[in-house]
Amino acid sequence: MLFRSAVLLAAGVTGAWLFHRAGVTLVSAAAKANAPLPVPSSDPVFIRLFAVFFFAASAGLMVLGQAAAMLHAYGSGAAMAAAATTFITGSIAATRLGGGWLVDRWPMHRVAAGANLWALSGAVLVTVLATPWSALVGLAMIGMGYGVMSGASAGYLPQLWARDLFAALAARLYVAWCAAAVVLPVLAGWLFDLTGGYQAAVLVAAAGNLAGAWFARRLPSPEKKRGGAESTTP
């Protein structure tokens, strides 16, 4: 672990040094003069997107971080649990790409609501049929819902706000990811210690996905955002 940390630190320091030596200017003087207005933290659309992303990511990161333990708890062997971790991780990666593709073709409220409802269906499957194979499919569905939401969110930001704001908005949005990585995964571990299983944690994830689908229904289309009173950019 110490060696890996040292490698990551060395890579980060080297990258920072190379960037400094390159003398790259990310924003020109003309761009600074015409920079778009920042999006305030109180923007209702961003708050809604933040909430939807948080609920989807909470469920998905719980599965991503504890897939092997969850499969084992549902009766799978060690080999299946290990293979399931790879399968679920690959599913999340693929659906991230799919989320970006979907939001380019469908309204975000449909994509986001669909992602959360798909994950909710996976939680229901795991709850109703508590077998190793149903757990594999259901947990993968929960992860896929998070993957779609992750990719769709990245594609949705530049649809609503100026592209120059993407980095700042994405960084702010991923605070939801950081919170999600702590809240439900930790709660799931506590519930497992308390109950001896993951059924309660899956139900909490299902409730979160249901809330995410509810919040997603009011995410506006780009035309409504730019033309409405909620717009914060010129």
Side-chain angles (χ1 to χ4, degrees):
M1 181 64 70
L2 182 61
F3 175 75
R4 293 179 181 176
S5 300
V7 170
L8 289 174
L9 177 61
V13 171
T14 303
W17 179 79
L18 290 172
F19 183 83
H20 175 73
R21 293 284 296 174
V24 176
T25 301
L26 295 180
V27 182
S28 66
K32 286 182 179 180
N34 298 300
L37 295 175
V39 179
S41 299
S42 59
D43 185 287
V45 175
F46 187 83
I47 292 174
R48 202 170 297 130
L49 178 63
F50 188 97
V52 177
F53 187 79
F54 169 78
F55 287 122
S58 293
L61 291 173
M62 177 192 72
V63 169
L64 185 61
Q66 304 183 40
M70 295 181 80
L71 263 294
H72 183 71
Y74 282 101
S76 74
M80 181 179 180
T85 301
T86 302
F87 173 74
I88 291 172
T89 303
S91 298
I92 293 174
T95 49
R96 274 199 178 108
L97 297 175
W101 183 86
L102 287 170
V103 81
D104 285 339
R105 291 159 178 80
W106 295 88
M108 180 60 175
H109 69 275
R110 294 184 181 177
V111 176
N116 276 279
L117 291 176
W118 177 260
L120 174 62
S121 301
V124 171
L125 175 61
V126 175
T127 302
V128 174
L129 296 175
T131 67
W133 284 105
S134 62
L136 171 61
V137 174
L139 295 177
M141 291 172 67
I142 295 173
M144 291 165 69
Y146 156 58
V148 169
M149 191 62 210
S150 179
S153 297
Y156 185 57
L157 290 175
Q159 289 182 2
L160 294 190
W161 294 285
R163 295 180 184 271
D164 291 346
L165 295 174
F166 177 81
L169 289 173
R172 196 186 303 174
L173 181 63
Y174 267 79
V175 173
W177 182 91
C178 295
V182 174
V183 175
L184 189 52
V186 172
L187 178 61
W190 180 77
L191 289 173
F192 177 82
D193 291 338
L194 190 66
T195 64
Y198 280 99
Q199 292 85 352
V202 169
L203 289 176
V204 172
N209 285 130
L210 185 61
W214 186 83
F215 277 106
R217 65 191 177 89
R218 295 189 61 194
L219 288 173
S221 64
E223 294 77 13
K224 289 182 179 179
K225 171 63 179 174
R226 289 168 183 159
E230 292 180 329
S231 179
T232 57
T233 60

